[in-house]
Amino acid sequence: MKFFLYARKSTEDEARQVLSIQSQLDELREYARKESLQVVREYTEAMTAKEPGRPVFNEMMEAIERGEASGLLAWHPDRLSRNSVDGGRLVHDLDTGNLRDLKFPSTWFENTPQGKFVLSMALGMAKYYVDHLSQTIRRGIRKKLRDGVYPNMPPPGYTNDPKTRTIVFDDERAPIVKRMFETYATGDYSGADIRRMATEWGLLGVRGKPLSMSRVHAILANTFYIGIFKFSGEVY
């Protein structure tokens, strides 16, 4: 029987909980050697599986359905799917015979009614994990909003503190932004003047380039600087 090998790692996965793609490849190749599995192609993908639409996964499943292989080798069922569409596709291909076997070094599977039931449970648990994580993240965002903490990247003059997960003053840029407001408030300078001065004072945008005119206007009009911000259409 011909097998495809599939390894996936998402940037959202905890590094200590999920093997890197290279580690998965090493483990899967060794497992294939021990089990005498004929691996005819390897697929790797760095993308979350919580939504359908992974291009590499879809390409692999289409090749399975064309008969280019009839088995899949992956580290764990959650590497193959964490959503109901892709999970259902795997089980359906097992039902129709397009897919005849799944191999996982970390868990058991057998193409029987009992095996497909256990696989469905494992895929369901993988989906539950991402659903629960998403709910937890949304709850954390709501808590931040209630506390008056902006849950996204702040505007120039502030920065995110990774230790406290709050927004703090950017010691380098905050004085420049404050000076922009004070200068503009005199009424003696245009937006273009402020842009030129901000560049001279050292406030630059991405790749070290001067702020665009629209960016300067956005800063001067941003109510965040007086303690008011909008998130999902609501004012906090």
Side-chain angles (χ1 to χ4, degrees):
M1 185 188 303
K2 296 179 180 179
F3 279 80
F4 288 155
L5 182 156
Y6 181 80
R8 181 187 66 82
K9 180 75 166 67
S10 168
T11 55
E12 298 173 0
D13 292 324
E14 291 292 338
R16 289 176 293 181
Q17 294 179 350
V18 179
L19 295 176
S20 69
I21 287 179
Q22 187 57 54
S23 296
Q24 290 176 55
L25 290 173
D26 293 342
E27 293 283 346
L28 293 172
R29 288 165 182 165
E30 178 63 17
Y31 179 83
R33 186 189 65 78
K34 288 181 178 178
E35 297 295 319
S36 300
L37 302 179
Q38 183 186 2
V39 175
V40 296
R41 195 174 305 156
E42 295 182 354
Y43 292 88
T44 62
E45 193 158 36
M47 191 174 182
T48 181
K50 67 182 180 182
E51 298 288 346
R54 285 170 289 154
V56 175
F57 176 82
N58 287 341
E59 177 189 334
M60 179 181 70
M61 294 306 295
E62 288 165 5
I64 287 280
E65 289 155 11
R66 289 194 301 268
E68 296 176 21
S70 54
L72 287 180
L73 172 61
W75 175 250
H76 187 274
D78 67 8
R79 298 301 87 200
L80 292 172
S81 173
R82 279 184 162 174
N83 69 82
S84 56
V85 173
D86 291 337
R89 183 177 187 178
L90 288 164
V91 175
H92 178 71
D93 279 354
L94 287 166
D95 287 340
T96 59
N98 288 328
L99 185 59
R100 291 170 51 200
D101 200 5
L102 296 173
K103 294 291 187 183
F104 308 103
S106 60
T107 189
W108 164 89
F109 173 76
E110 189 175 82
N111 193 2
T112 62
Q114 295 87 350
K116 285 186 282 189
F117 173 69
V118 173
L119 175 67
S120 296
M121 289 178 59
L123 294 171
M125 285 297 296
K127 183 178 186 306
Y128 168 76
Y129 171 82
V130 295
D131 289 348
H132 178 70
L133 181 63
S134 177
Q135 187 179 57
T136 301
I137 291 172
R138 287 197 298 269
R139 184 170 64 240
I141 289 175
R142 290 196 298 270
K143 174 67 167 59
K144 280 190 169 186
L145 292 170
R146 286 195 297 270
D147 293 343
V149 178
Y150 189 57
N152 280 344
M153 289 292 292
Y158 298 89
T159 188
N160 292 109
D161 186 338
K163 292 183 179 179
T164 62
R165 297 192 176 184
T166 56
I167 289 171
V168 296
F169 281 110
D170 181 334
D171 292 334
E172 287 187 16
R173 306 179 92 193
I176 300 175
V177 174
K178 182 180 179 182
R179 191 174 177 186
M180 286 173 64
F181 275 98
E182 290 173 342
T183 304
Y184 192 64
T186 65
D188 297 330
Y189 302 93
S190 67
D193 293 329
I194 299 299
R195 177 177 182 266
R196 175 180 51 78
M197 292 177 184
T199 301
E200 293 172 355
W201 298 333
L203 185 64
L204 301 173
V206 293
R207 300 185 183 90
K209 294 183 178 181
L211 297 176
S212 65
M213 199 65 246
S214 61
R215 185 66 167 146
V216 171
H217 284 306
I219 290 173
L220 296 173
N222 195 340
T223 58
F224 187 94
Y225 294 104
I226 59 170
I228 299 171
F229 64 85
K230 286 185 178 181
F231 188 82
S232 295
E234 297 290 330
V235 176
Y236 297 88

